[in-house]
Amino acid sequence: MYFFSSVPFLRILPAFCLGIIFYDYDFKIYLLITFITFLVSCFILFFSIRQELIYRLRYAFGLYIQFVFFLSGYFLMWANDSGISENYFGNFKNTELYVAEIISAPVVKNGTCRVSIKINSILEKTKWKSVSGNAYVYFKEDKQTTILSPGREVVFSASPTEIAPPKNPGQFNFQRFSSLHRIHYQFYPKIGNWSLLSEKNSFSLKAIAYTLRESFLQVYKDAGLSGNEYAVLSALVLGYDDEIDNETMKAFSATGTLHILSVSGMHVGLLFSALSVLLVFLERRKSTRIFRLIFLILALWFYAFLTGLSPSVIRSAMMFTFILVGRSMNRSSNIFNTLGLTALCIFLLFDPILFFDIGMQLSFLAVGGIVFLYPKLYRIYLSRNYFVDKVWSLTAISISAQLTTFAISIYYFHQFPNYFILANLVIIPLSTFAIFGGVILLCIQFFDSAAVFIGWVLQKLIFLLNYITQFIADIPGSVWNGLTFNTIEVILLYFILIFAVVWYEKKLVVYLNLLLLFIFLTVTSFSINTLNRLNAKKLIVYSGTNHFCGHFTFGLDSWILCHSTDSLKAIQLSNNYCNYTGIPASRRTIVFYDSLKSEIEHAGIYSHRNFILVENFKLLIIDSLTPNYFAGLNWKPDLLYLEKKFFNKEQEASIHAAYVIYDGRKKDFFYLAKKGKLNKSYMDIRKGAGIFNL
């Protein structure tokens, strides 16, 4: 009970977050909530008048406070939801022109330049209207896009397109990612249909931070840094990761050190520690302590703006701010209470939807894990040897952070870095030297010879960092792929972790019983899901390929049936699905149906002309229909896939199949998919993959 009394902000945080979750999942409960609030308020008010009942009702009053914060989270989400505003730009359908302010750094990829914008006004029927709402704009890359930057205003003409959900299972959900930034629409203006309204940026902290970051990036280039070394250093120090290639990203992800490439709590902590040491002399006098406090807080938030205000950086800057203010007032606070206060302030000052941001969740869990578990793990082994002690300390920190983040990491990414301890022992120290070196280079940029020397040293250091990362990632078994947890299992695993630690410390039977109960529930859930996976028989017809691409799954065995020209795309789509569902990719067989000869059996698939049999599932792929194709066909395919051209009513009437999938890339087939009169289950795979239970 003493712990909970010392963390009041942490006690109210779960109810507040629950209100956020309820709103996000569109539970229309505000009328019921308002009614219950009125009744509870009357109840509390009536009984609080009688002093002798106050003590008896202390638990009811506590529940009432929790309910109030639940409502606060719910209505705070409602207040920040721009989509329900009458002035939301998406509510106006006949818009001719949009005037917007750029609010993010441009991202150039595949010949397009994407920026986030805040729409301020629209022209509708010769009248200008003030509106609100954010969106993405994709400009064709040209000379004009090179001067796009945060703070500038653009005017353009284009129709808004709603961001679509992923078309295939296991793919990155860009719709959900965008919704976390309150963005639901995107624009694709043509060349000549947009222009800048002003040559100068409007005043904003983001615009200043962007301009300063661009100048710092140029310093690295002038010092001789280039290639992957320049890209990694830019990400380490300034949070600019647009130039890091996919192979480098995969290597850091496989070693469990991807967090160092996105400015996070570790980077802010290093900056805080370095500045604290450099300014320690200001602690001697009371008059200079205030200056030191203000300077440290401003430096932290300046760095947060400079690196793009990512959720993890916001958390770190906010948390260190509270720690500094508390120390200046000679007050020591519980770190868990500080975490709770930090979360509430972030939701209140920025946006409560940040609760769903993966970086925010991982950041809070990692810090909470280090604070909660590190002292206990560190005390397991104490060494008088300085080097051994530091190695064990770093190992204990890595294990603590991994234990509290592994469940949610698997939930989102479906993989686990098996060599994370080895990677952290080597990569974290090297990256720390690189970060300090990058900051020193920025400080001595006006001394050309010294800057070039530091740049040469950093080039070699980061080359070594990248080489070691890739070496560890290439070790067999470096990554455990295909892991999958559902939401209930994630919650159960965290209860297991909490009660295991509490029982280890308290040695009380009640905590052991609770631990065993949650272990039993978790094992039961895993067993049920595993049995369902073993008995599942499905066919997934992927969307986005040039030809038919089907993924047959029978338990843990699967077959990819695709055209040879779609092989790379098919492997990528099936990898996403295997990781998402836990089906092992090692037991997957890829068959190209265009290279199968007549009447051949290969890898468990029997083929005869365009007829394909997998297990007992009959599939017929039609490249071009002719009136005589169905003549004498006395069997019924389970699935008919129509790929090219159109057919007449006589041919349509001759179809005998449980499901008919039209390729929908031609207007004729799209029309038939919508207007077909047959009593069939039609699909247009442009809209998304088809999933069939066999």
Side-chain angles (χ1 to χ4, degrees):
M1 295 301 294
Y2 172 76
F3 173 77
F4 289 106
S5 63
S6 63
V7 288
F9 291 110
L10 188 63
R11 287 161 58 189
I12 61 178
L13 183 62
F16 189 88
C17 293
L18 193 61
I20 295 174
I21 294 171
F22 265 59
Y23 185 88
D24 185 71
Y25 282 88
D26 202 26
F27 293 133
K28 303 296 185 182
I29 58 170
Y30 44 87
L31 293 177
L32 177 62
I33 287 174
T34 304
F35 178 71
I36 294 176
T37 304
F38 175 75
L39 290 181
V40 174
S41 300
C42 292
F43 176 80
I44 296 295
L45 181 62
F46 174 76
F47 283 98
S48 62
I49 297 174
R50 302 183 61 180
Q51 295 296 321
E52 69 274 9
L53 293 177
I54 292 178
Y55 180 77
R56 296 181 184 179
L57 294 173
R58 64 189 186 279
Y59 295 111
F61 183 75
L63 291 174
Y64 175 70
I65 294 296
Q66 295 288 339
F67 188 73
V68 168
F69 277 94
F70 171 83
L71 287 179
S72 301
Y74 187 89
F75 285 111
L76 185 63
M77 280 286 286
W78 174 80
N80 282 271
D81 190 352
S82 58
I84 64 174
S85 171
E86 293 182 357
N87 294 327
Y88 183 62
F89 76 90
N91 298 331
F92 301 90
K93 304 302 180 184
N94 301 317
T95 304
E96 300 172 17
L97 288 175
Y98 294 87
V99 176
E101 178 188 349
I102 298 174
I103 58 175
S104 73
V107 178
V108 179
K109 189 176 182 181
N110 298 328
T112 61
C113 177
R114 188 190 79 191
V115 294
S116 301
I117 60 169
K118 182 175 112 177
I119 300 179
N120 297 321
S121 56
I122 61 171
L123 177 63
E124 185 183 44
K125 296 179 181 179
T126 69
K127 291 184 179 181
W128 286 98
K129 296 181 179 180
S130 296
V131 295
S132 61
N134 297 344
Y136 289 126
V137 180
Y138 293 82
F139 299 108
K140 288 288 185 181
E141 187 181 5
D142 58 12
K143 292 182 179 179
Q144 198 174 7
T145 57
T146 58
I147 57 176
L148 294 175
S149 62
R152 291 200 166 182
E153 285 192 327
V154 294
V155 57
F156 61 91
S157 175
S159 298
T161 303
E162 193 170 357
I163 299 176
K167 293 184 176 181
N168 294 295
Q171 279 187 319
F172 173 66
N173 193 338
F174 186 67
Q175 183 189 58
R176 178 60 175 170
F177 172 81
S178 302
S179 70
L180 296 180
H181 298 82
R182 302 290 186 185
I183 294 177
H184 306 284
Y185 288 92
Q186 52 195 356
F187 294 88
Y188 296 87
K190 297 179 181 178
I191 295 177
N193 284 4
W194 70 276
S195 63
L196 287 169
L197 283 181
S198 61
E199 292 298 323
K200 295 183 179 180
N201 294 357
S202 60
F203 176 79
S204 71
L205 290 175
K206 283 190 176 181
I208 295 173
Y210 173 78
T211 303
L212 191 59
R213 189 176 72 171
E214 289 297 309
S215 65
F216 286 165
L217 291 173
Q218 189 60 45
V219 170
Y220 291 154
K221 292 179 181 178
D222 294 340
L225 286 151
S226 61
N228 255 351
E229 289 73 31
Y230 162 76
V232 171
L233 182 65
S234 301
L236 284 173
V237 181
L238 301 173
Y240 178 74
D241 58 3
D242 291 353
E243 297 192 27
I244 300 179
D245 58 39
N246 290 331
E247 290 301 317
T248 303
M249 282 287 193
K250 289 180 181 178
F252 278 93
S253 177
T255 56
T257 56
L258 186 61
H259 60 91
I260 73 169
L261 294 183
S262 56
V263 175
S264 58
M266 184 190 81
H267 303 71
V268 178
L270 289 174
L271 175 66
F272 176 77
S273 300
L275 290 176
S276 297
V277 172
L278 291 174
L279 300 177
V280 69
F281 65 93
L282 297 176
E283 282 284 303
R284 298 173 183 174
R285 296 181 180 179
K286 186 176 181 180
S287 58
T288 57
R289 288 177 190 170
I290 298 177
F291 173 78
R292 178 178 181 271
L293 171 67
I294 296 174
F295 181 83
L296 284 174
I297 292 176
L298 290 177
L300 289 175
W301 284 103
F302 169 76
Y303 185 65
F305 273 94
L306 182 66
T307 56
L309 279 180
S310 67
S312 56
V313 172
I314 294 173
R315 191 272 310 158
S316 302
M318 188 81 70
M319 187 172 171
F320 282 120
T321 299
F322 289 138
I323 292 174
L324 284 170
V325 173
R327 286 180 179 176
S328 67
M329 300 172 64
N330 295 321
R331 293 186 178 182
S332 58
S333 62
N334 188 302
I335 190 65
F336 292 105
N337 196 47
T338 304
L339 276 174
L341 176 60
T342 300
L344 289 171
C345 287
I346 289 173
F347 298 150
L348 290 170
L349 298 177
F350 292 90
D351 195 332
I353 206 170
L354 287 174
F355 170 80
F356 298 102
D357 185 88
I358 299 174
M360 180 70 75
Q361 294 175 4
L362 291 174
S363 179
F364 272 96
L365 286 172
V367 173
I370 292 172
V371 174
F372 183 54
L373 296 176
Y374 169 71
K376 303 170 181 58
L377 286 175
Y378 179 73
R379 288 195 298 267
I380 293 176
Y381 176 74
L382 299 175
S383 175
R384 296 181 179 179
N385 185 289
Y386 178 82
F387 177 76
V388 173
D389 179 69
K390 293 301 178 184
V391 170
W392 169 238
S393 177
L394 183 57
T395 302
I397 291 175
S398 300
I399 295 174
S400 301
Q402 199 69 274
L403 281 174
T404 50
T405 58
F406 92 98
I408 201 167
S409 297
I410 290 173
Y411 177 77
Y412 287 120
F413 306 115
H414 309 290
Q415 65 177 29
F416 183 79
N418 293 323
Y419 305 138
F420 72 92
I421 295 178
L422 173 63
N424 279 278
L425 285 175
V426 180
I427 295 173
I428 296 298
L430 287 177
S431 64
T432 301
F433 285 119
I435 291 170
F436 282 127
V439 173
I440 292 172
L441 178 56
L442 296 177
C443 295
I444 64 169
Q445 58 180 289
F446 301 107
F447 303 96
D448 294 339
S449 57
V452 171
F453 174 73
I454 295 296
W456 178 83
V457 173
L458 285 173
Q459 182 86 6
K460 301 301 180 183
L461 176 63
I462 298 176
F463 174 82
L464 177 63
L465 172 67
N466 292 342
Y467 178 82
I468 293 175
T469 303
Q470 190 65 56
F471 176 80
I472 297 175
D474 290 338
I475 299 176
S478 61
V479 181
W480 189 358
N481 286 309
L483 298 172
T484 177
F485 293 158
N486 59 35
T487 305
I488 294 176
E489 289 168 349
V490 170
I491 295 173
L492 290 174
L493 285 169
Y494 280 114
F495 273 115
I496 289 176
L497 177 62
I498 292 171
F499 285 117
V501 174
V502 173
W503 174 71
Y504 175 79
E505 285 195 322
K506 304 295 184 180
K507 297 296 191 298
L508 295 178
V509 176
V510 61
Y511 296 121
L512 177 60
N513 292 335
L514 288 171
L515 172 62
L516 294 176
L517 172 63
F518 282 106
I519 290 175
F520 171 76
L521 293 175
T522 305
V523 171
T524 301
S525 179
F526 284 161
S527 301
I528 293 173
N529 290 333
T530 302
L531 288 174
N532 290 336
R533 196 178 299 120
L534 289 172
N535 295 323
K537 296 182 179 181
K538 292 185 178 181
L539 166 63
I540 299 90
V541 181
Y542 291 120
S543 176
T545 56
N546 295 321
H547 303 274
F548 170 83
C549 180
H551 190 171
F552 293 86
T553 63
F554 297 92
L556 299 181
D557 297 315
S558 62
W559 290 266
I560 306 297
L561 192 63
C562 65
H563 198 279
S564 57
T565 58
D566 290 324
S567 58
L568 294 178
K569 184 70 173 178
I571 292 173
Q572 178 186 359
L573 293 173
S574 64
N575 283 340
N576 292 335
Y577 183 74
C578 288
N579 288 332
Y580 178 69
T581 58
I583 297 174
S586 58
R587 297 176 63 171
R588 175 188 61 191
T589 304
I590 301 175
V591 179
F592 304 129
Y593 62 81
D594 57 313
S595 62
L596 290 177
K597 298 179 180 179
S598 180
E599 295 190 16
I600 189 170
E601 186 172 358
H602 175 73
I605 295 179
Y606 173 77
S607 171
H608 175 70
R609 295 177 68 188
N610 287 31
F611 164 66
I612 296 172
L613 180 67
V614 183
E615 295 285 334
N616 293 321
F617 188 82
K618 299 181 287 293
L619 169 66
L620 188 61
I621 302 175
I622 308 300
D623 292 321
S624 106
L625 293 172
T626 61
N628 297 325
Y629 195 92
F630 292 105
L633 189 65
N634 55 5
W635 52 272
K636 176 183 177 182
D638 294 305
L639 176 65
L640 174 64
Y641 183 89
L642 306 172
E643 204 171 68
K644 294 180 180 178
K645 297 185 179 179
F646 62 92
F647 55 94
N648 55 37
K649 292 183 179 180
E650 179 183 351
Q651 293 167 324
E652 186 177 9
S654 63
I655 295 176
H656 301 281
Y659 295 94
V660 181
I661 296 183
Y662 288 109
D663 187 311
R665 293 181 179 88
K666 293 184 179 292
K667 292 182 179 178
D668 295 316
F669 288 99
F670 183 56
Y671 174 81
L672 287 170
K674 292 178 67 176
K675 303 294 184 179
K677 296 181 180 180
L678 290 177
N679 186 20
K680 306 291 180 186
S681 298
Y682 290 99
M683 289 188 64
D684 177 6
I685 61 167
R686 290 183 304 179
K687 299 178 181 178
I691 302 178
F692 303 90
N693 291 315
L694 307 182

